[in-house]
Structures are given as C-alpha cells and as structure tokens.
Amino acid sequence: QVHLVQSGAEVMKPGASVKVSCKASGYTFNSYYLHWVRQAPGEGLEWMGVINPGGGGTAYAQKFQGRVTMSVDTSSSTVYMQLSSLRSDDTALYFCAREALPYEYYFDYWGQGTLVTVSS
Amino acid sequence: QSVLTQPPSVSAAPGQRVTISCSGSSSNIGNNFVSWYQQFPGTAPKLLIYDNYKRPSGIPDRFSGSTSGTSATLAITGLRTGDEADYYCGTWDNSLSDVVFGGGTKLTVL
C-alpha cells in the first residue's frame, strides 16, 4: 500500500530556513509527481508547488517563488521542501501529496503532515 | 482570499441531503477538472471526488460531484454524524499556473 511519511514537527526562529522530508513507499517512486500543500491554523489549503521525482523538475506557486526549494533523493524515495526567510505567518501544517495522474492536479495520497511553528 | 469560493458552513439533519458549492472562473473550473476533499481536524485531506464526478475506490455513492460552467457542486445524501468535517474543492488555474483550492466549507450534521 502507498505511504507518504513526513518528518517531525519543527520550531524555527523568524528568518531561518526549514527543510521537511516526505518518504514514499508502496509504489514506483519515479512515476508520480509529488506536491506540497500547507494549511495555516484555522485556514484552508494552500498549494506550494510540485516536483517530478523522475527528473527533478519543479514548479512553484507564484507566492513562494524565491523562498521555496523542492528536491528529491531517488535512492531513498524521499522528496524535500525547504522554505527560507521564515515569518510568523509561515506557521502551518505542511503536507506532501501524490498527484494521481500527470497534469490532472488531484491528490490521491497524502502524508500525515508536518507542523512548522515560527516563533521568536 | 481564495480563488475558488465556497460557503463557510452548511448544515443539515441526519439522513438529509446537503450540497456544497464551489464557484470559480473560466481560467479554472470552466476549463479544468475539479476535485473534492474531506478533512477532519488535525488530519490530512482525503480525496472524495476527482475529474468533476468520479469517486475513488472505497468512497460511497452517497458522495457525488457535478459541474456547470464555472461552478462545481458536491452533494452528500443520507447524512451521518461521521460526515461532519471540512470540505475543499480544488483545480488548476490556467492564468495563475497554480493549483487552487476553495476556502473550505464546514459541514455540521445537526
């Protein structure tokens, strides 16, 4: 069965960077795009971007361009999302999600979420 | 401010039918497939509907989706207390080149 397992909660200072991991199992890793979606406390879902594990290509939401970097380690079937210049409003639950089919933009499996708290 | 507009909350009695609307534009819903997600507090969203009306394996036919022009609708029949959750619509936006979501709708089963 498909599993996406994310790294644990982080507490960061404003201005710092955070790197969250998402380890995939149960399917052919290179065959599915992986996305990152975040959710601030009490708020809705917000798309951050996508990475193609097969070739490493990425596309980022306009809001996060210049601050977010997504990467992949195919040897461990893990993708990473790094967000820099953290602010208090980056406090959120960060999810990785598998895109079911290329360019269909719907997500059939999700990680459990990683809480990132930004506080001085 | 979300690109897709959903009502903040809806409510209905057990056994009844409820609909949740999702309003967009020609750059998103009007020209792309819509998906719907169910989310319980503190947990990851779960896919309910994709490609406007299709249900993944394991999703009961009490859940259905439809679209008309630049709007989409999720309908839930035979409401149960276990359906109390937040529901989100999502799609691709051609102008923004982003995946966009609605602001979410909280369903209360009275």
Side-chain angles (χ1 to χ4, degrees):
Chain A
Q1 60 276 43
V2 175
H3 287 296
L4 299 175
V5 179
Q6 299 182 221
S7 49
E10 303 267 14
V11 180
M12 311 300 296
K13 300 283 189 189
S17 296
V18 68
K19 193 170 186 177
V20 180
S21 68
C22 170
K23 182 174 176 58
S25 63
Y27 70 95
T28 303
F29 178 66
N30 289 354
S31 297
Y32 294 83
Y33 294 176
L34 284 166
H35 295 244
W36 289 90
V37 176
R38 78 176 187 179
Q39 185 172 36
E43 301 295 324
L45 303 174
E46 183 174 37
W47 183 73
M48 300 182 70
V50 56
I51 185 165
N52 175 4
T58 57
Y60 303 136
Q62 295 177 19
K63 174 177 179 176
F64 298 101
Q65 293 213 9
R67 271 209 313 144
V68 70
T69 304
M70 296 177 188
S71 57
V72 59
D73 177 358
T74 54
S75 68
S76 63
S77 299
T78 301
V79 296
Y80 300 89
M81 186 282 300
Q82 180 169 333
L83 188 62
S84 62
S85 302
L86 289 169
R87 308 183 289 255
S88 58
D89 62 359
D90 290 318
T91 293
L93 194 54
Y94 288 76
F95 296 101
C96 60
R98 191 183 83 162
E99 184 175 346
L101 287 172
Y103 306 109
E104 288 267 328
Y105 305 111
Y106 67 90
F107 311 116
D108 56 355
Y109 290 94
W110 294 67
Q112 82 277 18
T114 296
L115 180 62
V116 175
T117 303
V118 182
S119 174
S120 55
Chain B
Q1 198 81 346
S2 301
V3 173
L4 306 179
T5 302
Q6 297 180 233
S9 64
V10 296
S11 61
Q16 296 299 303
R17 177 180 185 269
V18 71
T19 61
I20 298 173
S21 61
C22 175
S23 177
S25 69
S26 59
S27 66
N28 43 66
I29 293 177
N31 283 283
N32 294 291
F33 287 125
V34 175
S35 54
W36 288 90
Y37 304 88
Q38 177 191 59
Q39 186 183 34
F40 296 103
T43 69
K46 175 183 178 181
L47 180 66
L48 286 179
I49 297 289
Y50 67 97
D51 288 358
N52 297 341
Y53 66 91
K54 298 176 182 177
R55 281 177 285 106
S57 172
I59 300 300
D61 59 6
R62 298 189 301 110
F63 296 90
S64 63
S66 63
T67 59
S68 178
T70 59
S71 293
T73 301
L74 173 70
I76 311 172
T77 59
L79 275 172
R80 304 173 181 180
T81 55
D83 295 331
E84 284 202 342
D86 295 322
Y87 293 83
Y88 293 91
C89 57
T91 188
W92 177 256
D93 189 289
N94 297 331
S95 297
L96 298 173
S97 294
D98 287 355
V99 173
V100 292
F101 293 101
T105 298
K106 181 176 180 59
L107 168 63
T108 301
V109 181
L110 302 168

